[in-house]
């Protein structure tokens, strides 16, 4: 209640501010308000952050812009230091509030032998209303900071001292990257409202995930007839049969929703069946949580794995069984598959190559407004906040792409630039299946399954020409490795469903969709250069 009262008290103060500045402000403040003929006096959306939440929330829904993508900053330009009056080095762009903006960098000398610092000058003009605000993020490989602008004038953002000579040299050559929150205050708040429930373990959260995937991917989520858990016969399951899971609530549900959105996969997790020499059925899985809370590669008895998914997994997974085609089943080298699985058991989940299976191209894998500049800035922030996680997610992998060891992210970016490789190009260098990281060979959930397929001989003569660490989950289930004759599916497969899927859904309220299922003939170097832009996720031939 106190917060709401403060917001109400702040509202008249905000409305008075333009007049206070108009009559008491310095000349450059006056200049901003003399643009009044070009502005609407007040736009309702600009004031929503100051209203009590019960009032603001329904208006927020009505006035908001695109949705969760509004949380992603949009790269608008690079502020550089002018050289000999070269105006071409000044960044110019259109903002969400101010329609004409320009920026440049001024270097300042240090004292007592110091490197000095710099000032980013940002000039904002032509606002669309008196009350709108533009939010910005400013980044180098060594730091990320932010600022917001309410007045049309020249603003300054000071970097008191460069963190190192490397940062100084980088900014001299490349400048300071500028990112705009493209929907301003209201769009960002709306995006937070849309994204937050994705990660909540509630009915609200589940519905948020379903609605997100319907809106951004065209998923349908048609309800299946009960029972939603199949009475399956394990005797009909064989080594190499593939499991795909789609989690739709809680922490993993939210993560998988965003993963599906950027990759085009209609599932977010995978596992694989194995039978031992005694006929006992097991499930191999990368991403199983152990007693210490670590995500590792595990080989579990089928009964244990299935009981957990049916009774304990609070992410409400929808699960499908994709039986191997009989021809491939006959080729499946069970001994080699077991040897691989046992060699990987207990190793960490493959965080090292997780994002690189998604990024294949310079610009055609990023849903707008995401791009390589934003990725670099997110990496910079995350490296500062969680250096250990950063090492797992990209530091060591980027070093491998450069053939270096131990370089931190800023050093990686600088070294890449020295070699004439832009950072967005570096991100597209294909992962190699034989790369070994500090904690061993890296295998995400889908990489673990496909590496087993390679070891078991399913890729045949092109085995050494395919890097399965470049495959997404969609790439895996579109391989033509699976049963294509519905009459050979087990009798219990989808027996209570009026729609006969080409695979066996064994759990879930909603009918699973796997567009492109079982259609792709494998070929050398596949999935190393593929676009994946929503909502169609069209791939180019031979990518």
């Amino acid at each position: 209640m106190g917060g709401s009262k403060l917001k109400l008290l702040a509202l008249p103060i905000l409305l008075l501010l333009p007049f206070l500045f108009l009559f008491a402000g310095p000349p450059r403040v006056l200049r901003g308000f003399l643009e009044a003929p070009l502005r609407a006096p007040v736009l309702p959306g600009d004031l929503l952050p100051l209203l009590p939440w019960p009032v603001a929330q329904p208006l927020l829904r009505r006035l908001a812009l695109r949705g969760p993508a509004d949380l992603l900053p949009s790269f608008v330009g690079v502020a550089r230091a002018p050289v000999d009056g070269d105006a071409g080095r000044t960044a110019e762009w259109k903002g969400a509030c101010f329609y004409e903006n320009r920026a440049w960098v001024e270097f300042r000398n240090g004292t007592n032998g110091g490197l000095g610092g710099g000032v980013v000058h940002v000039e904002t003009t032509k606002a669309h209303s008196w009350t709108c605000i533009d939010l910005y993020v400013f980044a180098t490989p060594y730091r990320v900071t932010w600022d917001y602008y309410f007045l049309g004038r020249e603003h300054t953002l000071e970097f008191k001292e460069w963190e190192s000579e490397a940062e100084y040299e980088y900014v001299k050559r490349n400048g300071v990257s500028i990112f705009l929150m493209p929907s301003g205050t209201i769009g960002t708040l709306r995006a937070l409202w849309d994204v937050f429930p994705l990660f909540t373990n509630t009915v609200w959260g589940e519905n948020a995930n379903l609605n997100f995937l319907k809106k951004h991917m065209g998923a349908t989520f048609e309800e299946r007839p009960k029972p939603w858990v199949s009475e399956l016969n394990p005797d009909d399951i064989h080594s190499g049969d593939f499991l795909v899971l789609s989690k739709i609530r809680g922490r993993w549900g939210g993560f998988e929703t965003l993963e599906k959105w950027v990759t085009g996969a209609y599932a977010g997790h995978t596992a694989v069946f194995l039978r031992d020499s005694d006929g006992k059925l097991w499930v191999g899985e990368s991403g199983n949580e152990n007693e210490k809370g670590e995500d590792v590669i595990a080989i579990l008895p089928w009964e244990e794995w299935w009981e957990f998914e049916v009774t304990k997994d609070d992410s409400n997974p929808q699960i499908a069984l994709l039986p191997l085609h009989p021809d491939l089943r006959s080729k499946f080298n069970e001994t080699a598959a077991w040897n691989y699985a046992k060699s990987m058991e207990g190793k960490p989940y493959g965080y090292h190559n997780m994002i690189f299976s998604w990024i294949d191209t310079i610009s055609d894998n990023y849903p707008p407004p995401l791009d390589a500049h934003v990725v670099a800035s997110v990496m910079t922030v995350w490296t500062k906040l969680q250096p250990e996680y950063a090492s797992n997610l990209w530091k060591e992998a980027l070093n491998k792409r450069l053939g270096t060891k131990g370089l931190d992210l800023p050093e990686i970016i600088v070294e890449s630039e020295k070699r004439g490789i832009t950072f967005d190009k570096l991100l597209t260098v294909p992962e190699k299946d034989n790369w070994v990281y500090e904690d061993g060979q890296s295998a995400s959930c889908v990489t673990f399954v496909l590496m087993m397929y390679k070891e078991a001989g399913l890729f045949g003569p092109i085995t050494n020409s395919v890097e399965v660490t470049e495959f997404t989950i969609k790439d895996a289930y579109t391989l033509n490795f699976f049963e294509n004759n519905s009459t050979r599916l087990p009798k219990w497969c989808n027996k209570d469903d009026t729609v006969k899927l080409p695979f066996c859904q064994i759990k879930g309220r909603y009918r699973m969709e796997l567009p492109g299922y079982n259609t792709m003939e494998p070929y050398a170097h596949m999935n190393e250069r593929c676009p994946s832009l929503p909502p169609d996720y069209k791939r180019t031939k031979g990518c």
Side-chain angles (χ1 to χ4, degrees), residues 202-408:
T202 61
V203 174
W204 176 41
E206 181 172 311
N207 289 334
N209 280 287
L210 300 185
N211 290 333
F212 183 99
L213 295 171
K214 288 177 182 178
K215 177 179 179 181
H216 294 282
M217 294 183 68
T220 59
F221 291 101
E222 297 174 347
E223 189 167 313
R224 303 165 65 220
K226 291 183 177 180
W228 294 332
V229 177
S230 296
E231 295 182 9
L232 50 81
N233 183 354
D235 293 339
D236 294 324
I237 300 173
H238 307 274
S239 286
D241 287 349
F242 193 27
L243 285 161
V244 294
L245 296 83
S246 177
K247 303 182 180 187
I248 57 176
R249 68 191 296 173
R251 175 170 59 100
W252 282 112
F255 172 80
E256 285 192 11
T257 289
L258 298 179
E259 178 191 12
K260 293 166 189 171
W261 175 48
V262 299
T263 65
Y266 277 61
H269 186 56
T270 63
V272 65
F273 282 105
L274 284 170
R275 278 198 186 274
D276 63 20
S277 56
D278 296 325
K280 184 176 175 63
L281 189 63
W282 300 78
V283 174
E285 179 181 40
S286 179
N288 187 274
E289 188 173 317
N290 65 14
E291 295 176 354
K292 298 178 181 178
E294 302 164 331
D295 293 321
V296 299
I297 296 172
I299 307 171
L300 303 169
W302 154 248
E303 296 82 5
E304 179 183 332
W305 187 90
W306 183 235
E307 181 185 7
F308 175 83
E309 295 302 335
V310 172
T311 64
K312 298 178 183 178
D313 192 339
D314 58 9
S315 67
N316 192 12
Q318 320 293 292
I319 306 176
L321 165 68
L322 282 49
L324 278 182
H325 190 279
D327 292 346
L328 275 84
R329 184 176 297 137
S330 65
K331 297 177 183 177
F332 191 86
N333 187 329
E334 212 166 52
T335 301
W338 268 108
N339 288 340
Y340 170 75
K342 288 178 178 177
S343 73
M344 297 295 289
E345 188 174 15
K347 290 185 178 179
Y349 175 84
Y351 290 107
H352 294 291
N353 46 36
M354 183 174 65
I355 67 170
F356 296 100
S357 65
W358 156 48
I359 302 174
D360 288 348
T361 68
I362 289 177
S363 60
D364 291 336
N365 297 113
Y366 304 104
L370 190 64
D371 62 14
H373 295 93
V374 177
V375 170
S377 293
V378 171
M379 286 181 173
T380 300
V381 173
W382 201 249
T383 298
K384 297 285 187 183
L385 297 177
Q386 297 283 353
E388 291 183 6
Y389 283 105
S391 179
N392 281 338
L393 286 170
W394 51 73
K395 176 183 167 182
E396 199 174 349
L398 290 172
N399 270 282
K400 286 192 175 294
R401 282 158 173 77
L402 286 172
T404 54
K405 286 186 177 181
L407 296 185
D408 290 327

Side-chain angles (χ1 to χ4, degrees), residues 10 42 53 82 98 126 133 154 217 230 236 249 261 304 324 355 362 364 386 397 464 470 479 498-499 514 519 525 531:
V42 176
W53 182 243
F98 295 94
K126 301 291 191 295
I133 300 173
E154 183 181 313
M217 294 183 68
S230 296
D236 294 324
R249 68 191 296 173
W261 175 48
E304 179 183 332
L324 278 182
I355 67 170
I362 289 177
D364 291 336
Q386 297 283 353
N464 294 328
E470 281 290 304
L479 286 170
T498 54
V499 175
L514 301 177
T519 58
H525 303 291

Side-chain angles (χ1 to χ4, degrees), residues 513-530:
E513 305 167 79
L514 301 177
Y517 171 67
N518 206 23
T519 58
M520 186 69 63
E521 181 79 22
Y523 54 89
H525 303 291
M526 69 184 301
N527 300 319
E528 293 182 6
R529 302 174 302 280
C530 291

Side-chain angles (χ1 to χ4, degrees), residues 402 404 407 410-421:
L402 286 172
T404 54
L407 296 185
E411 296 169 323
I412 289 168
I413 295 176
V414 170
E415 179 64 25
S416 180
E417 295 280 348
K418 285 181 181 177
R419 299 186 188 187
I421 305 171

